[in-house]
C-alpha cells in the first residue's frame, strides 16, 4: 500500500500522520506500506520511521547522479534521505510537467542502477478510454517506459508497476474492480511476453485512482491487483489506516 502525499501536509501534519501510522498495529507479514512524502518531509519521515517496517519513497527524481539541474534531486540524494523506492511517471508529472515515457525510461533505469525500486505509473486518459484506446496506450507506455529493462538483468523485486487511469485520479471516480482487473491482467501478460513469466507472476501491480476504505477490499480481491497507490485518502489517518488494514475485513 503506497501513499502518495503529493504537495501536501505541513511538517507538523506529516509528523502526526506518521506517528498514527506507526501506532496502527499493522501486520507487516500481510502488507507492505510505503510512504512518499514531499522532499522537505523526507528527513522527518526517515527519523520517525527508522527501525520500522515502513518504506519511504521519493515522488520523482532526475536520472543524472548530480550536476547543473536546478530544482532537481538525484537518485543518490533520495537514497541518502532514506528512500528505498521512487514513484516515476505519475500522470501529474506526465501531464503537468511534460514527462514523456522516454524520460520515465531514463529515470527507471537510473533508479534501478542506484538500487532504488521504481514504482512506474501508467494509465490512459478519459478520452483515450472513450475512444477505445486503453490497451494501445498501456502497451505503448510499457514499451517506452520499460525499454531496455531486461537488458539490465534485474529482478522483479526492483520494479513495481502502478496502473492509474487518469480519469480516476483525485476525481472520486474509481475504475470498477472489473475494469481495473482487465487492465492489470493485460499488464501482467505484457510482462510475461516482454520480461519473463516468472517475473510476471511475482511482480507487484498496484491500482491507483480514488482508492478509499470502502473500495479497497473489492479491488484487492481481483487476481491481478497486488496493492494500491493512494493519493487523497493517504493524507488522513481515518482513511489511510483502514486501507492498509484491508485484510481485516
Ligand atoms: C495518486 O495520486 O496516485 C492517486 C491515485 O490519487 P487519488 O487516490 O487521490 O485518486
Amino acid at each position: 500500500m503506497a501513499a502518495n502525499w503529493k504537495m501536501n501536509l505541513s511538517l507538523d501534519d506529516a509528523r502526526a500522520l506518521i506517528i498514527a501510522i506507526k501506532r496502527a498495529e499493522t501486520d507487516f507479514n500481510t502488507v507492505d506500506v510505503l510512504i512518499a512524502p514531499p522532499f522537505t518531509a523526507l528527513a522527518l519521515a526517515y527519523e520517525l520511521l527508522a527501525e520500522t517496517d515502513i518504506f519511504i519513497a521519493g515522488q520523482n527524481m532526475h536520472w543524472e547522479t548530480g550536476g547543473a539541474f536546478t530544482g532537481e534531486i538525484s537518485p543518490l540524494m533520495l537514497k541518502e534521505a532514506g528512500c528505498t523506492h521512487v514513484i516515476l511517471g505519475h500522470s501529474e508529472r506526465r501531464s503537468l510537467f511534460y514527462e514523456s515515457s522516454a524520460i520515465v525510461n531514463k529515470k527507471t533505469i537510473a533508479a534501478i542502477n542506484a538500487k532504488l525500486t521504481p514504482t512506474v505509473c501508467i494509465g490512459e486518459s478519459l478520452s483515450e478510454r472513450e475512444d477505445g484506446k486503453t490497451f494501445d496506450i498501456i502497451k505503448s507506455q510499457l514499451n517506452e517506459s520499460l525499454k531496455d529493462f531486461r537488458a539490465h538483468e534485474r529482478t522483479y523485486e526492483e520494479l513495481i508497476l502502478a496502473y492509474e487511469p487518469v480519469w480516476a485520479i483525485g476525481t472520486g471516480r474509481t475504475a470498477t474492480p472489473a475494469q481495473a482487473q482487465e487492465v492489470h491482467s493485460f499488464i501482467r501478460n505484457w510482462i510475461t511476453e516482454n520480461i519473463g513469466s516468472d517475473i510476471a507472476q511475482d511482480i507487484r501491480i498496484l491500482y491507483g485512482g480514488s482508492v478509499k476504505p470502502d473500495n479497497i477490499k473489492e479491488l484487492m480481491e481481483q487476481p491481478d491487483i497486488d496493492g494500491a497507490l493512494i493519493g487523497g485518502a493517504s493524507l488522513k489517518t481515518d482513511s489511510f489506516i483502514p486501507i492498509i488494514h484491508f485484510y481485516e475485513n
Side-chain angles (χ1 to χ4, degrees):
M1 294 293 152
N4 175 14
W5 288 0
K6 313 193 187 192
M7 197 171 72
N8 291 301
L9 300 183
S10 66
L11 285 180
D12 282 348
D13 290 342
R15 181 187 304 276
L17 180 53
I18 291 174
I19 289 171
I21 295 167
K22 271 172 73 171
R23 288 188 182 143
E25 296 185 10
T26 301
D27 177 2
F28 291 108
N29 291 319
T30 305
V31 64
D32 286 328
V33 177
L34 173 70
I35 297 177
F39 295 137
T40 48
L42 284 176
L44 174 75
Y46 190 40
E47 178 195 320
L48 294 174
L49 295 174
E51 293 168 31
T52 71
D53 290 307
I54 299 172
F55 299 97
I56 304 171
Q59 296 179 14
N60 179 35
M61 63 168 214
H62 197 274
W63 59 87
E64 293 288 349
T65 50
F69 301 102
T70 302
E72 294 290 331
I73 189 160
S74 78
L76 296 179
M77 289 168 183
L78 285 184
K79 286 197 76 174
E80 277 187 337
C83 295
T84 49
H85 294 66
V86 60
I87 297 172
L88 295 176
H90 189 279
S91 68
E92 287 148 19
R93 300 291 323 165
R94 290 177 186 264
S95 65
L96 302 174
F97 303 100
Y98 310 108
E99 260 184 39
S100 62
S101 288
I103 288 177
V104 176
N105 179 246
K106 282 190 188 191
K107 294 183 176 191
T108 303
I109 301 299
I112 287 164
N113 285 338
K115 298 198 165 41
L116 272 171
T117 302
T119 297
V120 177
C121 304
I122 51 174
E124 80 288 2
S125 66
L126 184 57
S127 60
E128 288 162 346
R129 175 162 281 263
E130 286 173 347
D131 290 348
K133 293 187 187 149
T134 298
F135 296 109
D136 290 342
I137 295 294
I138 296 296
K139 188 172 169 186
S140 75
Q141 288 179 345
L142 286 167
N143 282 336
E144 291 169 36
S145 305
L146 298 184
K147 185 167 161 278
D148 295 335
F149 177 80
R150 198 169 20 177
H152 287 254
E153 294 178 349
R154 302 295 178 169
T155 69
Y156 64 89
E157 285 169 4
E158 292 161 310
L159 176 69
I160 297 172
L161 292 173
Y163 168 57
E164 299 208 304
V166 179
W167 47 273
I169 297 178
T171 58
R173 196 178 153 182
T174 325
T176 64
Q179 280 174 321
Q181 165 57 28
E182 191 183 27
V183 179
H184 279 234
S185 161
F186 178 87
I187 294 169
R188 210 178 291 284
N189 286 337
W190 184 93
I191 298 165
T192 302
E193 283 162 23
N194 293 277
I195 301 180
S197 55
D198 291 356
I199 293 174
Q201 288 319 304
D202 291 332
I203 197 168
R204 290 183 227 203
I205 309 174
L206 314 184
Y207 168 78
S210 298
V211 170
K212 299 192 182 62
D214 61 10
N215 59 26
I216 185 66
K217 186 165 179 282
E218 214 185 335
L219 287 163
M220 289 301 291
E221 281 168 359
Q222 304 305 309
D224 290 302
I225 299 183
D226 305 312
L229 181 53
I230 307 124
S234 73
L235 297 171
K236 293 209 170 92
T237 320
D238 59 4
S239 43
F240 190 56
I241 292 173
I243 290 174
I244 61 179
H245 288 189
F246 70 96
Y247 53 83
E248 288 174 350
N249 298 310

